[in-house]
Amino acid sequence: MARIFAIANQKGGVGKTTTSVNLAAALAATGQRVLLIDLDPQGNATMGSGIDKRSLVKSVYHVLVGLATLTEARAPAPEGKYDVLPANRDLAGAEIELVELEHRETRLKRELSAHDHEYDFVLIDCPPSLSLLTLNGLCAANGVIIPMQCEYFALEGLSDLVNTIKKVHANLNRDLKIIGLLRVMFDPRNTLGQQVSAQLEAHFGDKVFRTIVPRNIRLAEAPSHGMPGVVFDRAAKGSQAYMAFAEEMIERMKTL
Ligand code: ATP
Ligand code: MG
């Protein structure tokens, strides 16, 4: 059975997509069968996986509104040994169309359930909102991975996300739990960063992943080459961190 994880944080630009793409590629590099679902109309995980969002015939939008199956819409990442269910701006319309449809929160879950045996990991890159799209991600998932920067306001936004996850758990998806908080874009020379990092560990204990992803320019450059950082420059510090994170995830799965 596939482990399904939503990579979520309603705050924008905190590293959700970078984490989704690199974790997908890193898990795939260790031989795991991985599907990456781009649930963001920005289509960054799609582009970052080397798939042109402007030339999609079928995308996650079509799957959500019932116009295509997962099999019809998914495509292999050209460089990464994982599959992608891609997205583009069409998905912005789904938000409105879904409201009218039956089972609007669980449409992704329903489609995925038929493909459970085909993957070891399914990663869902959520948009920066607590919208119906994110809700579909949270309903389909067994767990949430929360990437965050160690800065002052990071902790404020976290309580909204944790409350949403609690509500989804109570009303829509009893399987859902927070797998962990991932510290990203970390700069060890920044004192505030170290303080927030220590606070996170104090409050959330072992819900904070051991792996810390440093700020690393190679991770930011990789998407413009249509490649995950771990493929583009696997020796870079950031790529090494995501490889270590993949190992930590595999390890953690054994204890879940
Ligand atoms: P959005 O909320 O818009 O979907 P996001 O949470 O998916 O954003 P990313 O797109 O992954 O965030 O990252 C935001 C920016 O920071 C991007 O330009 C990305 O390349 C850069 N970035 C992410 N992680 C790192 C890192 N560890 N080191 C350096 N740059 C990074
Ligand atoms: Mg993103």
Side-chain angles (χ1 to χ4, degrees):
M1 247 181 52
R3 303 283 194 169
I4 306 174
F5 298 118
I7 291 82
N9 189 333
Q10 80 280 16
K11 208 162 160 359
V14 294
K16 293 179 288 295
T17 301
T18 305
T19 297
S20 304
V21 168
N22 283 287
L23 180 59
L27 286 168
T30 71
Q32 304 289 324
R33 299 168 305 162
V34 181
L35 170 67
L36 171 60
I37 298 178
D38 190 349
L39 209 49
D40 186 342
Q42 296 180 99
N44 293 344
T46 300
M47 295 296 280
S49 296
I51 295 172
D52 188 352
K53 66 179 177 185
R54 290 156 300 200
S55 58
L56 302 177
V57 178
K58 294 277 159 60
S59 69
V60 68
Y61 160 76
H62 298 89
V63 172
L64 283 173
V65 301
L67 292 172
T69 60
L70 172 64
T71 313
E72 290 166 330
R74 70 184 161 192
E79 306 274 359
K81 299 200 188 88
Y82 57 92
D83 285 348
V84 181
L85 178 54
N88 59 22
R89 289 197 57 188
D90 288 348
L91 189 57
E95 191 76 49
I96 298 149
E97 289 174 52
L98 279 172
V99 175
E100 306 284 313
L101 297 177
E102 241 187 321
H103 311 298
R104 58 187 176 191
E105 301 98 348
T106 52
R107 298 186 69 89
L108 184 63
K109 182 190 179 76
R110 281 156 191 269
E111 181 61 24
L112 269 181
S113 61
H115 298 269
D116 212 38
H117 55 287
E118 293 171 37
Y119 297 102
D120 300 306
F121 287 91
V122 177
L123 304 178
I124 305 171
D125 183 25
C126 292
S129 65
L130 296 172
S131 61
L132 201 43
L133 288 173
T134 298
L135 216 48
N136 261 274
L138 295 178
C139 284
N142 326 119
V144 189
I145 296 170
I146 306 174
M148 55 185 303
Q149 283 174 261
C150 290
E151 56 190 29
Y152 182 66
F153 289 116
L155 293 169
E156 272 191 11
L158 208 54
S159 56
D160 292 337
L161 180 58
V162 170
N163 284 333
T164 300
I165 293 169
K166 277 187 187 151
K167 277 187 204 149
V168 173
H169 177 265
N171 301 309
L172 292 161
N173 179 6
R174 299 298 294 178
D175 282 347
L176 191 68
K177 52 184 151 313
I178 295 176
I179 303 296
L181 303 168
L182 178 67
R183 292 163 285 183
V184 299
M185 297 189 231
F186 193 76
D187 177 0
R189 289 161 306 182
N190 178 332
T191 319
L192 177 63
Q194 285 176 354
Q195 285 169 359
V196 173
S197 174
Q199 265 177 9
L200 278 180
E201 285 174 351
H203 278 90
F204 293 94
D206 61 5
K207 287 279 181 209
V208 182
F209 290 109
R210 259 192 339 271
T211 308
I212 299 180
V213 180
R215 187 171 285 283
N216 178 225
I217 189 70
R218 300 299 271 170
L219 290 175
E221 287 168 355
S224 66
H225 299 268
M227 276 183 235
V230 299
V231 176
F232 175 60
D233 182 356
R234 60 171 303 155
K237 282 223 168 70
S239 305
Q240 296 281 312
Y242 276 114
M243 292 300 292
F245 181 46
E247 295 295 340
E248 187 177 355
M249 281 298 294
I250 291 168
E251 196 59 38
R252 215 170 251 229
M253 290 313 93
K254 292 175 189 157
T255 63
L256 274 183

